[in-house]
Amino acid sequence: QVQLVESGGGSVQAGGSLRLSCAASGDMRRYCMGWFRQAPGKEREGVAGIDWYGSISYADSVKGRFTISKDNAKNILYLQMNSLKPEDTAMYYCAAENSRGGYCYGGGRFAADFVYWGQGTQVTVSS
């Protein structure tokens, strides 16, 4: 059983930075992992995905500002967020799935493809 716990959210001003972490328990070999966000009244959006082999995909809205990475030895997934904007305000979730041998479907940015989810961490960006 995989458990995911996010941390690192908070409140920042526009232009600031935050680094989110997602600590995973369980055997995480050959998992696709992703970061998602959901703002009030909006659908859950795939922000970034990374497969077991290191291939990465970003949503257009965060390209050049966000960086996804992982530490396989420590089972931690990261999301470095720079140049934050008020529209980045949302609850951020990490997710994992392993039905494709470590590869991600659709770059790991389709929520319906993921089985394991963390509880979320709130990010608030003020203007």
Side-chain angles (χ1 to χ4, degrees):
Q1 185 73 13
V2 171
Q3 292 186 326
L4 305 172
V5 180
E6 303 96 333
S7 61
S11 297
V12 296
Q13 290 191 329
S17 297
L18 284 172
R19 187 176 80 157
L20 306 184
S21 298
C22 173
S25 62
D27 184 355
M28 299 305 294
R29 287 175 295 178
R30 296 182 177 80
Y31 271 77
C32 164
M33 300 194 74
W35 284 101
F36 293 80
R37 65 186 181 186
Q38 189 166 19
K42 294 189 176 181
E43 291 187 357
R44 191 164 294 192
E45 173 191 20
V47 174
I50 183 168
D51 70 18
W52 173 250
Y53 310 99
S55 293
I56 290 172
S57 175
Y58 294 102
D60 288 342
S61 59
V62 305
K63 280 181 181 177
R65 300 188 298 123
F66 290 11
T67 302
I68 188 172
S69 62
K70 59 177 179 168
D71 185 329
N72 288 334
K74 296 181 179 179
N75 279 353
I76 300 177
L77 180 72
Y78 299 102
L79 185 68
Q80 178 66 44
M81 305 186 296
N82 298 329
S83 302
L84 282 162
K85 304 175 182 180
E87 51 263 45
D88 294 319
T89 295
M91 185 72 78
Y92 282 71
Y93 301 89
C94 71
E97 74 91 19
N98 70 336
S99 67
R100 294 182 173 77
Y103 292 99
C104 293
Y105 171 76
R109 293 188 289 109
F110 287 93
D113 200 51
F114 285 82
V115 176
Y116 302 104
W117 291 86
Q119 82 290 347
T121 186
Q122 178 68 37
V123 172
T124 302
V125 185
S126 59
S127 57

